[in-house]
Amino acid sequence: MRKVFVAGNWKMNLDSAGSRALANGLCQKLADRDLSGTIDMAVCPPFVYLPIVAEALQSGPIALGAQDVYFEPDGAFTGEISVNMLRDVGCRYVIVGHSERRHVLGETDEQINRKLRAVLAGGLKPILCIGELLGEREDGRTEAVIERHLRKGLADVAPAEMERVTVAYEPVWAIGTGRTASPEQAQEAHRFARGILQEMFGPATAQRIRIQYGGSVKPANAAELIRQPDVDGALVGGASLKVNDFWGILDAAAQAG
Ligand code: PEP
């Protein structure tokens, strides 16, 4: 049976008290009903709240993740955060190439690839976000974008290292818009992505790589999305900011996986 992976991306939201309360609330839910046998879980708070959330999560079933990283290990890079620093505060996952980093902050595929390889070299697990803009979908370029993001983002990664990589298909038009991809649209994109991964890393590895769906996932639509054969979990933004909403998604994923 596959074990799906659900991660919450808190983005630039909450304060220290809110971050602690959210982490505590999720831990309380899990103390009542442990889902860790069925799903893997992570939350990705802003950098400054990582230690606070790490303390709240203790060594429980929810892993800690970061929303970004810089690819150099140390040195004169004012304002940046390295993989070593993230590992030092207890992170296990790092999101790279989120659409907001690509399209708001102007990150390139090459920078994203360097970040992803730095995360792997530092022993952590990258979550590589891929996905098309609305205009790209309307122009029939969805598959070309997925292929480019995968081939460039995963360049020079060995098949054995792919055991630690999660891919998150996040159509940009679905992020924070309330307009979720239909289960069929998600499955079609995920199936295509898995085909590219198969070409790159072989069928056995491609089959094992978890491909999360992200884009307005809610408790009400999570199960149907995750029931799709190539949808192996979810990356959740807005709905990961409230205990009951995120719990609803975790619960749905535990049943649908
Ligand atoms: C995200 O930020 O990765 C995301 C999917 O956001 P939302 O769930 O709010 O659409």
Side-chain angles (χ1 to χ4, degrees), residues 9 11 98 100 129 170 174-178 214-218 235-239:
N9 173 12
K11 308 196 187 188
H98 191 278
E100 288 143 23
C129 298
E170 299 208 302
I175 296 179
T177 59
S216 300
V217 176
K218 306 270 181 271
L235 182 55
V236 186

Coordinates of all heavy atoms in Angstrom, one line a residue, residues 9 11 98 100 129 170 174-178 214-218 235-239, ligand 1:
N9 N 2.4 24.3 3.8 CA 3.3 25.5 3.5 C 2.6 26.7 4.1 O 1.7 27.2 3.5 CB 3.5 25.6 2.0 CG 4.2 26.8 1.6 OD1 4.8 27.5 2.4 ND2 4.2 27.2 0.3
K11 N 3.8 29.6 4.3 CA 4.2 30.9 3.6 C 4.5 32.0 4.6 O 5.0 31.7 5.7 CB 3.1 31.3 2.7 CG 2.6 30.2 1.7 CD 1.8 30.7 0.6 CE 1.3 29.6 -0.2 NZ 0.7 30.0 -1.5
H98 N 9.1 26.8 -5.4 CA 7.7 27.1 -5.3 C 7.4 28.2 -6.3 O 8.2 29.0 -6.6 CB 7.4 27.6 -3.8 CG 5.9 27.7 -3.6 ND1 5.2 28.8 -4.0 CD2 5.0 26.9 -3.0 CE1 3.9 28.7 -3.7 NE2 3.8 27.5 -3.1
E100 N 5.8 30.8 -6.2 CA 6.0 32.2 -5.7 C 7.5 32.6 -5.8 O 7.9 33.7 -6.1 CB 5.4 32.4 -4.3 CG 3.9 32.4 -4.4 CD 3.2 31.7 -3.2 OE1 3.8 31.6 -2.1 OE2 2.1 31.3 -3.4
C129 N 8.8 21.9 -6.5 CA 7.5 22.3 -7.0 C 7.6 22.6 -8.5 O 8.6 23.2 -9.0 CB 7.0 23.6 -6.3 SG 6.7 23.4 -4.6
E170 N 2.0 21.8 -8.8 CA 1.2 22.9 -8.4 C 0.9 23.8 -9.5 O 1.7 24.7 -9.8 CB 1.9 23.6 -7.3 CG 2.3 22.8 -6.1 CD 2.3 23.7 -4.8 OE1 3.1 24.7 -4.8 OE2 1.6 23.4 -3.9
A174 N -4.1 27.5 -9.7 CA -4.9 26.8 -8.7 C -4.4 27.2 -7.3 O -5.0 26.9 -6.3 CB -4.8 25.3 -8.8
I175 N -3.2 27.9 -7.2 CA -2.6 28.2 -5.9 C -3.3 29.5 -5.3 O -3.2 30.6 -5.9 CB -1.1 28.4 -6.0 CG1 -0.4 27.1 -6.5 CG2 -0.5 28.9 -4.7 CD1 1.0 27.2 -6.7
G176 N -3.9 29.3 -4.2 CA -4.5 30.4 -3.4 C -5.7 31.0 -4.1 O -6.1 32.1 -3.8
T177 N -6.2 30.4 -5.2 CA -7.3 31.0 -5.9 C -8.7 30.3 -5.6 O -9.7 30.9 -6.0 CB -7.1 30.8 -7.4 OG1 -7.0 29.3 -7.7 CG2 -5.8 31.4 -7.9
G178 N -8.7 29.2 -4.9 CA -9.9 28.5 -4.7 C -10.3 27.7 -5.9 O -11.3 27.0 -5.9
G214 N -0.7 20.2 -5.4 CA -1.0 21.5 -4.6 C -1.7 22.5 -5.4 O -1.5 22.7 -6.6
G215 N -2.7 23.2 -4.8 CA -3.5 24.2 -5.4 C -4.9 24.1 -4.9 O -5.7 23.3 -5.4
S216 N -5.1 24.9 -3.8 CA -6.5 25.0 -3.2 C -7.0 23.7 -2.8 O -8.2 23.4 -2.9 CB -7.4 25.7 -4.2 OG -7.0 27.0 -4.5
V217 N -6.1 22.9 -2.2 CA -6.6 21.6 -1.5 C -7.3 22.0 -0.2 O -6.9 22.8 0.5 CB -5.4 20.7 -1.2 CG1 -5.9 19.4 -0.5 CG2 -4.7 20.3 -2.5
K218 N -8.5 21.4 -0.1 CA -9.3 21.6 1.1 C -9.8 20.3 1.7 O -9.7 19.3 1.0 CB -10.6 22.4 0.7 CG -10.3 23.7 -0.1 CD -10.2 24.9 0.9 CE -10.0 26.2 0.1 NZ -8.6 26.5 -0.1
L235 N 0.4 19.2 -1.2 CA 1.1 20.3 -0.6 C 0.1 21.4 -0.4 O -0.6 21.8 -1.4 CB 2.3 20.8 -1.5 CG 3.1 22.0 -1.0 CD1 3.7 21.7 0.4 CD2 4.3 22.3 -2.0
V236 N -0.1 21.8 0.8 CA -1.3 22.6 1.2 C -0.8 24.0 1.7 O 0.0 24.1 2.6 CB -2.1 21.9 2.3 CG1 -3.4 22.7 2.5 CG2 -2.4 20.5 1.9
G237 N -1.4 25.1 1.1 CA -1.1 26.4 1.6 C -2.1 26.9 2.6 O -2.1 26.6 3.7
G238 N -3.1 27.6 2.1 CA -4.1 28.3 2.9 C -4.7 27.4 4.0 O -4.9 27.7 5.1
A239 N -5.1 26.2 3.5 CA -5.8 25.3 4.4 C -4.9 24.6 5.4 O -5.4 23.8 6.3 CB -6.6 24.2 3.6
Ligands
PEP1 C1 0.9 26.4 -2.0 O1 1.3 27.5 -1.5 O2 1.8 25.6 -2.2 C2 -0.5 26.1 -2.2 C3 -0.8 25.0 -2.8 O3 -1.4 27.1 -1.7 P1 -3.0 26.9 -1.6 O4 -3.2 25.5 -1.0 O5 -3.4 28.0 -0.7 O6 -3.5 27.0 -3.0

